[in-house]
Amino acid sequence: MYFEIKVDPSTLAAVTGWLLLTWHAFLIVLSLLGQYVAQTRYTRKPSPQSSKLGQDAPGVSILRPLKGVDLELAENLRSSFEQRYPKFEIIYSVAKANDPAVSVVHQLMKEYPDVECRLIIGDRQVGINPKVNNMIKSYESAKYDIVWILDSNVHVDRDTLGRSVDELMQPGIGLVHHLPVAMQPTSYAAEVEHLFLDTNHAKMYLAINQVGLASCVMGKSNLYRRSDLDRAGGLGAFAQYMAEDNIIGEALWHQGLRHRMSADSACQVLGRITPSEYCRRRARWVRLRKYIVTAATLTEPFTESIVCVLMGAIGAHILFGTSLLWYFVFHWCAWFVNDWLLYRTLVITASYARKPHQPLGLYQFTRAWISREVLALPLYLYAMVGTRITWRGQDYRCLSDGTAVLIAKN
């Protein structure tokens, strides 16, 4: 005995149409939310209150791991020395004494003799992650409970520390992070990278963190308390992961500690990037995430403009007979305008060392934006079928448990 279930084809089509259209509408809302957050947060930066407390302000240890001379390294590191905050120390760390970054640090220490700063030479192997190995000694010797992990390739505003401490001192907050943005591309591929970080990635990052339903952290610039992280095993416990920033964020989140973003960005000068370097960066991004945040990674193609707008066009055509072409053209152009407005806001308000950043002209923006959107799905598919990544000149293979193994050089 069996039951035969008959589904009316028109009902199935209608359900499919509504699902497709609803997903498109959901992404429109997320995109507009990211735009709203950018326009309200970064165009009106508050004056930090913690900076006015003098020696009563919470102390902060700024940890900056180094390897080689990044583009604009001296200016990036100088932005730490020039923080308008009354109580902090800077700890630079480097794995080898002959690293060229050492001389840059020594010169800055001479320029700012009144800033408490030290350089630790020599890493300790506590796991596969070279960044954690590099700064584990800095973390353990930090003078203050609040630590600010700040990558060497980014520049921050002088009031970033003050505003970040203001946020960290709010009840229930365990981590403060900053929006990563990219500036000053000097090649076509760098412009594409520039557009990825300052449009698609930025609006999703802002929207997801505004909703605050789960941890979503990128480790360019993060503040948290050592006492909180030590309850999760300390920094060394995360050295087995290449994406330690994401795992640390989740560990703090699971303690009931929420995350906040201050009105600041972590600004990286891109310079020149080759097309192959761009592709490797995007592949590394996906391969690191696919075993750690699998659900989010699997939905990623459906958040891209071409796929998402096409889904909406098909849904509207099924339900209302709308022209596929005109629906797609209208909504893809609207997506473009939203990204253009967001992009200009983030570039104009980003921190800078010498002179304000200038947005790309409309032609350059359009060329790079279309290239980024068209390449998104092929690069995603390429990344999903592989496990090999390159970080700072060394190759690794990502494992299904989120860890990685070193690939020996021939």
Side-chain angles (χ1 to χ4, degrees):
M1 183 176 181
Y2 65 92
F3 295 96
E4 183 179 355
I5 300 176
K6 294 184 179 180
V7 179
D8 186 346
S10 62
T11 301
L12 182 60
V15 170
T16 301
W18 280 116
L19 286 174
L20 294 173
L21 199 58
T22 299
W23 178 257
H24 183 206
F26 173 67
L27 262 295
I28 290 175
V29 171
L30 271 187
S31 297
L32 293 176
L33 177 59
Q35 181 76 251
Y36 170 79
V37 173
Q39 298 298 336
T40 55
R41 177 182 295 159
Y42 298 103
T43 59
R44 294 190 293 271
K45 298 182 180 182
S47 175
Q49 300 303 305
S50 300
S51 301
K52 302 174 183 178
L53 297 177
Q55 289 306 303
D56 291 331
V60 178
S61 295
I62 305 175
L63 277 53
R64 302 201 75 163
L66 308 170
K67 183 177 182 181
V69 179
D70 294 305
L71 198 61
E72 301 284 341
L73 178 64
E75 297 303 329
N76 295 338
L77 302 188
R78 182 176 279 110
S79 68
S80 295
F81 284 94
E82 295 185 347
Q83 288 300 299
R84 290 188 287 222
Y85 190 79
K87 195 174 180 181
F88 69 91
E89 65 167 349
I90 307 173
I91 310 176
Y92 295 107
S93 57
V94 63
K96 298 178 180 179
N98 62 353
D99 193 297
V102 170
S103 61
V104 178
V105 173
H106 284 157
Q107 179 58 40
L108 288 170
M109 292 171 71
K110 291 178 182 177
E111 289 183 32
Y112 299 90
D114 296 331
V115 175
E116 187 176 353
C117 176
R118 52 197 164 101
L119 171 65
I120 295 178
I121 298 176
D123 59 2
R124 189 166 82 237
Q125 299 297 312
V126 292
I128 193 67
N129 189 311
K131 178 180 175 180
V132 175
N133 293 337
N134 189 349
M135 65 180 180
I136 188 68
K137 293 180 181 179
S138 303
Y139 176 84
E140 292 176 349
S141 65
K143 181 178 180 180
Y144 302 111
D145 188 37
I146 298 176
V147 293
W148 182 8
I149 310 297
L150 185 59
D151 282 0
S152 61
N153 61 358
V154 296
H155 180 281
V156 291
D157 184 79
R158 292 179 177 181
D159 287 321
T160 296
L161 181 52
R163 281 190 286 262
S164 300
V165 172
D166 286 350
E167 298 292 347
L168 190 62
M169 300 309 292
Q170 296 300 312
I173 302 302
L175 184 148
V176 175
H177 54 127
H178 309 115
L179 178 69
V181 294
M183 301 295 156
Q184 299 179 28
T186 58
S187 68
Y188 172 60
E191 289 176 0
V192 178
E193 172 85 350
H194 177 52
L195 265 292
F196 165 72
L197 285 169
D198 297 356
T199 60
N200 179 272
H201 177 263
K203 68 187 175 189
M204 291 295 119
Y205 195 82
L206 292 172
I208 291 170
N209 276 286
Q210 182 70 13
V211 174
L213 296 179
S215 172
C216 179
V217 174
M218 188 173 176
K220 287 286 185 186
S221 179
N222 295 169
L223 285 86
Y224 43 79
R225 298 175 181 87
R226 280 194 305 165
S227 55
D228 292 332
L229 190 60
D230 287 346
R231 284 197 290 272
L235 182 63
F238 301 89
Q240 61 184 314
Y241 303 102
M242 294 301 294
E244 87 294 336
D245 48 0
N246 194 291
I247 305 296
I248 287 173
E250 290 186 351
L252 295 173
W253 186 274
H254 291 153
Q255 293 182 30
L257 298 171
R258 296 300 171 250
H259 306 161
R260 281 277 182 88
M261 297 180 70
S262 73
D264 298 281
S265 55
C267 180
Q268 177 182 357
V269 173
L270 288 175
R272 180 176 179 79
I273 296 175
T274 66
S276 61
E277 287 174 331
Y278 170 74
C279 293
R280 286 197 298 270
R281 288 185 186 206
R282 298 282 62 80
R284 182 180 67 196
W285 188 292
V286 173
R287 288 171 183 173
L288 283 174
R289 294 172 64 248
K290 70 179 180 180
Y291 295 129
I292 297 173
V293 282
T294 304
T297 306
L298 291 175
T299 61
E300 189 172 308
F302 306 103
T303 68
E304 299 291 354
S305 67
I306 294 176
V307 175
C308 182
V309 173
L310 186 59
M311 290 171 65
I314 294 172
H317 181 73
I318 291 173
L319 295 171
F320 311 114
T322 308
S323 167
L324 287 170
L325 177 62
W326 287 112
Y327 185 102
F328 184 89
V329 169
F330 175 81
H331 284 278
W332 206 45
C333 288
W335 198 297
F336 172 89
V337 171
N338 185 61
D339 281 359
W340 168 248
L341 295 173
L342 174 70
Y343 165 77
R344 288 186 60 83
T345 296
L346 295 180
V347 171
I348 292 170
T349 60
S351 66
Y352 57 89
R354 299 186 183 91
K355 59 181 180 179
H357 303 290
Q358 294 298 320
L360 295 177
L362 184 59
Y363 169 73
Q364 287 176 295
F365 177 90
T366 303
R367 181 183 66 174
W369 187 86
I370 292 175
S371 299
R372 213 295 304 178
E373 301 303 314
V374 170
L375 286 171
L377 183 58
L379 281 177
Y380 171 86
L381 295 175
Y382 163 73
M384 287 297 285
V385 299
T387 59
R388 186 171 182 147
I389 64 169
T390 301
W391 192 87
R392 296 277 186 172
Q394 179 61 59
D395 292 335
Y396 302 86
R397 177 163 284 109
C398 299
L399 303 180
S400 59
D401 61 355
T403 61
V405 294
L406 186 69
I407 299 176
K409 294 183 178 180
N410 294 330

